Amino acid sequence: MAKKVVTFGEIMLRLAPEGYNRFVQADNFTATYGGGEANVAVSLANYGLDAKFVTKLPKHEIGQAAINSLRKYGVDTTDIVRGGERVGIYYLEKGASQRASKVIYDRAGSSVCTASKEEFDWKKIFDGAKWFHFTGITPALHDNVTEICLDACKAAKELGITVSCDLNYRNKLWSKEKAGQVMGELCKYVDVCIANEEDASDVFGIKAADTDVTTGSVNHQGYKAVAKQLAERFGFGKVAITLRESISANDNNWSAMLYDGSDYFFSKKYKMHIVDRVGGGDSFGGGFIYAALNDYDSQEIIEFAVAASCMKHSIEGDFNLVSVDEVIKLAGGDGSGRVQR
């Protein structure tokens, strides 16, 4: 039987101008679906795991289309609550060269924000589950959703389920002060913390020395101290930090570090030419969870997660549509991109 993972969050309608057009140039938008925890669920379903995504969506056809986008890849949607009025929307303008990508949210009052904790029976939802994953985006949506996250974390802990959280700070959703307060409470229940080079600083004020993400300067050694401080403050069993060196909107260097409570493991570094970077962190999380559930050692976990995420940057849309074999091949050193016949 495939190992079962449950994720909880919001799936949104993504509207993007064609190619690299700016919003003001757009005569039409391409519609797809995505969202942090939904993206992780799709990754895991593609890897052959039993992946369940939990949220609240309206009963109308756009809500159904969001559900269908998950079912298409084998994600279990049976515990999605139906109700509310709208699916959250985000608009994405893809950056190029020195022009950054831009996101505009239109998600206020979406169905998940109207959800109540009484609508989710976590003990039933977690039946047979080994792992629960959420991100810092979800509790930022509404105080109601914070309560649901807390209930889920408590239930997971009672059932002995591993809990992971990607800190994923979004300054368009809440303040650093509130994020620190809310995430500080939720992180008491978290076993695996995933963050990028800015999250630990934004949410908890823990900064890496000699790092400036705006210039692409990342001091890898400084993140050893960040990971150790996070682990000591919250009792995390593992802390993974993704390290993005932004050369331009199109070209990044990509690597990561894992602290497992006793030692530090750095992945190889990939030079990426980016097709679509949205969902890059989620694909890292999905790769990490898969590798950890399959008893990979610490070095293998971080190599698999980084390779999975590297591949996502080559795929349009939020979802990482790759197989385990493809990730293992890249992690093993075959990044040539030659045609496979």
Side-chain angles (χ1 to χ4, degrees):
M1 181 182 291
K3 297 179 178 70
K4 179 176 173 180
V5 180
V6 176
T7 74
F8 169 68
E10 179 175 28
I11 185 169
M12 292 184 291
L13 171 62
R14 163 174 155 171
L15 298 176
E18 290 183 344
Y20 292 98
N21 282 345
R22 304 215 70 183
F23 289 135
V24 294
Q25 292 177 287
D27 296 317
N28 52 65
F29 291 83
T30 299
T32 54
Y33 293 87
E37 299 86 353
N39 300 343
V40 171
V42 170
S43 279
L44 294 169
N46 282 322
Y47 298 149
L49 270 59
D50 180 359
K52 175 180 286 194
F53 176 66
V54 181
T55 191
K56 184 173 182 177
L57 284 167
K59 294 179 180 178
H60 58 52
E61 288 84 352
I62 305 303
Q64 189 61 45
I67 289 174
N68 292 349
S69 74
L70 297 168
R71 285 179 173 169
K72 178 179 178 181
Y73 297 108
V75 174
D76 181 349
T77 61
T78 54
D79 283 305
I80 291 178
V81 176
R82 303 303 293 270
E85 298 298 323
R86 68 180 303 239
V87 176
I89 298 170
Y90 84 94
Y91 298 88
L92 173 69
E93 179 185 282
K94 286 172 65 173
S97 191
Q98 278 65 44
R99 175 172 60 82
S101 295
K102 185 173 288 187
V103 169
I104 296 173
Y105 290 122
D106 178 16
R107 66 200 302 181
S110 64
S111 286
V112 75
C113 295
T114 71
S116 66
K117 59 184 184 178
E118 290 75 24
E119 292 178 289
F120 300 90
D121 181 350
W122 287 108
K123 292 197 173 175
K124 173 180 167 289
I125 291 167
F126 284 144
D127 183 38
K130 301 288 187 185
W131 198 291
F132 171 59
H133 178 77
F134 71 102
T135 77
I137 296 171
T138 300
L141 297 174
H142 197 279
D143 289 345
N144 295 355
V145 191
T146 299
E147 287 187 9
I148 298 167
C149 275
L150 190 56
D151 268 12
C153 287
K154 287 178 178 178
K157 264 287 178 265
E158 285 177 24
L159 295 167
I161 294 167
T162 300
V163 178
S164 61
C165 175
D166 187 334
L167 292 181
N168 252 347
Y169 176 70
R170 296 289 185 269
N171 62 10
K172 291 184 178 180
L173 295 180
W174 58 355
S175 68
K176 292 178 182 179
E177 291 72 25
K178 185 164 186 183
Q181 177 187 348
V182 171
M183 296 307 295
E185 180 63 28
L186 289 168
C187 281
K188 294 175 184 177
Y189 302 92
V190 171
D191 302 294
V192 176
C193 177
I194 299 170
N196 68 23
E197 64 275 5
E198 296 175 273
D199 289 333
S201 171
D202 287 337
V203 179
F204 296 124
I206 298 173
K207 298 180 181 178
D210 302 321
T211 288
D212 182 356
V213 297
T214 61
T215 64
S217 172
V218 175
N219 172 21
H220 290 194
Q221 298 306 312
Y223 286 101
K224 288 185 176 182
V226 170
K228 190 169 187 184
Q229 286 179 67
L230 283 169
E232 288 175 349
R233 186 181 298 188
F234 298 104
F236 300 138
K238 290 182 172 66
V239 178
I241 298 178
T242 57
L243 305 167
R244 185 187 296 274
E245 300 168 47
S246 293
I247 299 160
S248 71
N250 296 102
D251 295 285
N252 289 179
N253 293 330
W254 185 242
S255 61
M257 186 205 78
L258 171 61
Y259 175 59
D260 66 1
S262 59
D263 208 349
Y264 304 90
F265 302 86
F266 285 86
S267 75
K268 62 169 66 75
K269 183 188 293 187
Y270 294 94
K271 296 182 184 298
M272 303 187 302
H273 187 72
I274 298 169
V275 170
D276 190 334
R277 66 163 285 179
V278 177
D282 306 320
S283 57
F284 176 89
F288 189 102
I289 293 166
Y290 173 84
L293 277 173
N294 282 280
D295 299 320
Y296 286 28
D297 67 31
S298 292
Q299 190 66 50
E300 290 170 336
I301 289 172
I302 202 67
E303 295 292 0
F304 188 92
V306 168
S309 184
C310 177
M311 296 197 81
K312 163 63 195 79
H313 286 75
S314 72
I315 297 168
E316 292 276 8
D318 276 53
F319 298 156
N320 192 21
L321 309 177
V322 297
S323 67
V324 170
D325 287 346
E326 287 175 316
V327 178
I328 289 173
K329 191 169 185 179
L330 177 58
D334 185 355
S336 65
R338 290 174 64 86
V339 176
Q340 296 178 16
R341 302 183 193 275

